[in-house]
Amino acid sequence: MATEFHNLQELRHSASLANKVFIQRDYSEGTTCKFQTKFPSELETRIERSLFEDTVKTLNNYYAEAEKIGGQSYLEGCLACATAYLIFLCMETRYEKVLKKIAKYIQEQNEKIYAPRGLLITDPIERGMRVIEISIYEDRGSSGSSSSSSSVSGSTTR
Amino acid sequence: MSAVMITRKVRKWEKLPGKNTFCCDGRVMMARQKGVFYLTLFLIVGTCALFFAFECPYLAVHLSPAIPVFAAVLFLFVMAMLLRTSFSDPGVLPRALPDEATFIEMEIEAANGNVPPGQRAPPRIRNVQINNQIVKLKYCYTCKIFRPPRASHCSICDNCVDRFDHHCPWVGNCVGKRNYRYFYLFTLSLSLLTIYIFTFDIVHVAMRSVVSGFLNTLKETPGTYPFYICFILLVCFFTLWSVVGLTGFHTYLISLNQTTNEDIKGSWSGKNRVQNPYSHKNIIKNCCEHPVLCLQKTTAPLIPNEHTPDEAKASAVSAAEKSHSPKEEQPPTAKLPPLASPETDAETSIAKDKPH
């Protein structure tokens, strides 16, 4: 019986890593970045299927938006080429902007939905866009042993 | 006498396996052998310097001052593209962390079942469907991952590279998803520069010959002058055939949405009649929607050169699991002065002498 974790900080300090699930890429539509929405069986007891699918679908939409080719992207590209790509010293590419949005979204999802259920999503960019890694944590207290983890003190710089 | 503990963030590139060299705190990433790259630099800079020194004064006066100006612009563009290609991450795929590697191994064992002793295990292949075609993903024993489609392992750099084209010694780096655009622009602009210099070299000699005869042209100016003309002509001549040919070849590849690696291996051609699942079957569409060349920076830095705290924390948390010691949860430290013994935990610290 896992206790509720109230925030990400608590998760890292009072829980131990039990397992990891890896959501693989969906290549059915080519090499564009898209992840499978199939619900892994390990998460069945931890989170609702709809929440998980929502997260993955939103991420897929973000990646599709980032890789979209259109008038604006051509313009950005031509401008960049004309300045020998020096313009990117001053401004961010649209893709990088979307990556930042994705990082923020994942952080938000972790805080609101996943950490309270003892889960943690790793940004796929940390894994080379190959997998979405979801870490499953177990509360240490529930393992039965009175661990000395509560003696962990001191400030951790964040 | 307490040792001074300086908290130093370990950059991701410092922990990267593989045979790359890094400079400028991870902003520059190259292969180990850089000799041919220096040769490329020398040839381009040397030839252009000679052109500007010996030919431009005459051409600017007798033809137009726009000629050296345009040559300078073109030269700067070529250098920018060359350095961009050489110094940027080609699209290296980070190796699987131990958890993921174990997970993949378990999956493979489950798929293969029990292999009787003495018998070879079946090859590690994963089949995926791309645009209604089955593509086989191979397992990389070094990186412990199933390579994404179009990725390949470069033995020189010892990395898996996404959309691997080839390892170019002239540029001192792999050419992959993240720097193919710069590589193509480099070859294109270098072709133009070579043609430009070659043309105006000949024009220069011709103009002088018209005025004072061909042989006299070679005699009238300082003795080493013919040497420089010959050097420029020779370099341009050989560069012309090789670089222009290379540009043509890559233009052909782009129109078919193929990589050099696929072309050499004959993945989509020849007897097996397997078609390229990534090609749109329309040349215009291939060029305009080329995933790498469509002139937008679409690729993510697969190995960010910054240090992210999660890396240290994740390893710190797992280290804490093993020892329950509060000391381990501190960020990675490097102990200075060298009297103190450096931490041996490879995951969390690297003992380096250089100050930070």
Side-chain angles (χ1 to χ4, degrees):
Chain A
M1 195 111 55
T3 50
E4 285 275 313
F5 300 104
H6 297 290
N7 55 31
L8 275 179
Q9 261 92 321
E10 250 187 64
L11 185 69
R12 288 195 171 118
H13 289 293
S14 61
S16 65
L17 188 64
N19 200 5
K20 280 189 184 179
V21 185
F22 299 96
I23 314 297
Q24 303 292 328
R25 281 274 292 269
D26 177 8
Y27 292 114
S28 56
E29 286 169 24
T31 48
T32 49
C33 188
K34 197 171 172 219
F35 290 95
Q36 291 178 359
T37 47
K38 189 170 80 95
F39 189 62
S41 52
E42 291 90 339
L43 297 180
E44 252 161 42
T45 52
R46 306 298 292 245
I47 191 169
E48 293 81 12
R49 180 186 287 257
S50 56
L51 284 173
F52 169 81
E53 281 177 2
D54 270 341
T55 310
V56 180
K57 280 191 183 140
T58 314
L59 282 177
N60 286 340
N61 287 338
Y62 272 126
Y63 287 120
E65 180 200 328
E67 294 180 8
K68 199 173 62 139
I69 301 169
Q72 198 210 356
S73 63
Y74 279 126
L75 211 63
E76 194 187 48
C78 288
L79 181 68
C81 188
T83 61
Y85 292 90
L86 293 171
I87 196 164
F88 291 131
L89 294 171
C90 325
M91 75 179 223
E92 231 177 23
T93 67
R94 205 184 71 182
Y95 193 77
E96 282 164 5
K97 287 189 191 129
V98 178
L99 283 185
K100 285 201 173 151
K101 273 204 275 185
I102 290 172
K104 231 173 100 177
Y105 173 74
I106 290 180
Q107 168 86 359
E108 185 198 305
Q109 288 283 293
N110 273 337
E111 277 169 14
K112 289 190 192 154
I113 299 179
Y114 288 84
R117 291 170 173 76
L119 301 169
L120 201 68
I121 301 181
T122 309
D123 197 332
I125 198 180
E126 308 269 337
R127 301 289 173 259
M129 311 291 258
R130 290 181 295 105
V131 288
I132 303 177
E133 187 181 293
I134 302 182
S135 312
I136 304 175
Y137 287 89
E138 293 289 346
D139 184 31
R140 275 190 209 155
S142 69
S143 63
S145 59
S146 57
S147 57
S148 55
S149 59
S150 53
S151 69
V152 169
S153 58
S155 56
T156 50
T157 53
R158 214 167 270 276
Chain B
M1 206 77 69
S2 57
V4 174
M5 296 239 300
I6 293 176
T7 306
R8 180 179 161 276
K9 283 187 176 178
V10 177
R11 302 277 177 192
K12 271 193 171 165
W13 59 265
E14 291 180 75
K15 293 196 286 180
L16 208 66
K19 299 183 194 153
N20 290 101
T21 49
F22 292 90
C23 309
C24 300
D25 200 20
R27 289 182 185 85
V28 168
M29 178 175 176
M30 292 184 76
R32 259 188 210 167
Q33 299 98 326
K34 302 189 250 318
V36 188
F37 168 67
Y38 293 135
L39 176 67
T40 310
L41 271 180
F42 168 73
L43 284 173
I44 297 177
V45 174
T47 312
C48 290
L50 291 175
F51 178 73
F52 287 123
F54 291 98
E55 316 226 354
C56 283
Y58 183 88
L59 290 169
V61 166
H62 288 84
L63 271 183
S64 161
I67 293 172
V69 169
F70 188 69
V73 168
L74 206 49
F75 167 71
L76 289 173
F77 190 80
V78 168
M79 290 307 294
M81 290 299 107
L82 170 63
L83 295 179
R84 201 75 206 243
T85 312
S86 303
F87 294 166
S88 55
D89 165 22
V92 175
L93 292 167
R95 295 193 185 181
L97 294 178
D99 291 321
E100 197 186 342
T102 324
F103 173 79
I104 295 178
E105 292 269 345
M106 279 173 22
E107 258 194 351
I108 293 171
E109 267 168 42
N112 288 345
N114 273 331
V115 180
Q119 241 187 49
R120 241 168 139 197
R124 299 180 169 191
I125 284 185
R126 189 184 270 179
N127 288 323
V128 292
Q129 212 182 39
I130 299 180
N131 292 332
N132 298 321
Q133 202 174 319
I134 302 284
V135 172
K136 291 189 197 302
L137 303 188
K138 287 198 192 150
Y139 181 76
C140 180
Y141 285 92
T142 317
C143 303
K144 303 216 181 345
I145 56 171
F146 275 100
R147 288 185 209 125
R150 313 194 92 169
S152 192
H153 191 93
C154 174
S155 46
I156 302 172
C157 301
D158 204 25
N159 289 317
C160 269
V161 178
D162 201 4
R163 205 181 185 280
F164 179 69
D165 196 82
H166 65 287
H167 181 97
C168 185
W170 297 95
V171 143
N173 204 357
C174 286
V175 177
K177 194 175 190 183
R178 290 206 80 217
N179 63 356
Y180 184 67
R181 174 184 310 114
Y182 310 122
F183 176 74
Y184 181 70
L185 288 174
F186 167 63
T187 56
L188 189 63
S189 53
L190 187 61
S191 308
L192 292 174
L193 184 66
T194 311
I195 293 171
Y196 191 84
I197 291 183
F198 194 67
T199 313
F200 282 105
D201 212 16
I202 294 179
V203 162
H204 178 204
V205 173
M207 282 176 77
R208 279 198 192 249
S209 307
V210 159
V211 169
S212 48
F214 184 64
L215 286 173
N216 287 339
T217 305
L218 298 181
K219 281 189 232 165
E220 76 182 28
T221 36
T224 48
Y225 190 93
F227 167 74
Y228 292 130
I229 292 189
C230 287
F231 179 77
I232 295 178
L233 278 174
L234 211 66
V235 170
C236 286
F237 185 73
F238 285 110
T239 312
L240 212 64
W241 288 114
S242 49
V243 177
V244 171
L246 191 66
T247 310
F249 175 63
H250 279 281
T251 313
Y252 160 76
L253 287 180
I254 288 168
S255 67
L256 292 178
N257 200 338
Q258 268 190 28
T259 64
T260 308
N261 198 32
E262 287 163 0
D263 187 74
I264 288 177
K265 285 188 186 165
S267 312
W268 316 121
S269 62
K271 304 159 209 152
N272 38 5
R273 292 204 300 161
V274 176
Q275 286 188 319
N276 185 353
Y278 315 108
S279 169
H280 296 282
K281 317 278 183 296
N282 177 343
I283 290 181
I284 309 283
K285 225 179 168 195
N286 274 340
C287 294
C288 292
E289 290 181 20
H290 197 268
V292 171
L293 205 66
C294 66
L295 306 179
Q296 189 201 8
K297 205 150 193 237
T298 58
T299 51
L302 297 174
I303 300 178
N305 67 345
E306 291 303 320
H307 168 73
T308 53
D310 291 332
E311 196 84 1
K313 283 217 186 67
S315 47
V317 168
S318 54
E321 304 322 313
K322 292 172 201 160
S323 64
H324 286 286
S325 148
K327 185 190 163 200
E328 305 275 282
E329 285 194 354
Q330 281 168 14
T333 56
K335 290 187 187 174
L336 293 169
L339 283 173
S341 58
E343 290 204 31
T344 50
D345 185 357
E347 278 289 307
T348 56
S349 71
I350 292 176
K352 281 200 176 182
D353 277 340
K354 63 183 183 193
H356 190 268

